[in-house]
């Protein structure tokens, strides 16, 4: 349960930080990179939760 809560908080903070950067810079390559990285981060988070026994 701790991994779930801390993971959600971490993902939310990273998304907020990168979202602010994307809004300020507004460069297409940066947007593509940020979206790709966030997709990979969410996929990794889900896989790590499933490996630890939390199935949703």
């Amino acid at each position: 349960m701790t991994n779930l809560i801390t993971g959600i908080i971490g993902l939310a903070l990273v998304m907020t930080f990168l979202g602010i950067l994307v809004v300020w810079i507004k460069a297409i390559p940066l947007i593509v990179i940020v979206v790709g990285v966030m997709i990979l981060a969410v996929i990794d988070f889900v896989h790590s939760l499933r490996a630890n026994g939390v199935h949703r």
Side-chain angles (χ1 to χ4, degrees):
M1 188 66 167
T2 304
N3 289 341
L4 176 66
I5 295 168
T6 56
I8 290 173
I9 291 170
L11 280 176
L13 290 173
V14 168
M15 285 184 188
T16 303
F17 174 72
L18 292 177
I20 291 170
L21 281 179
V22 166
V23 168
W24 280 352
I25 297 174
K26 296 180 185 166
I28 299 297
L30 178 66
I31 294 171
V32 170
I33 291 169
V34 166
V35 168
V37 166
M38 289 317 303
I39 290 170
L40 291 174
V42 170
I43 291 171
D44 183 56
F45 175 62
V46 170
H47 282 295
S48 68
L49 283 181
R50 291 182 187 254
N52 290 333
V54 178
H55 299 288
R56 292 213 168 226

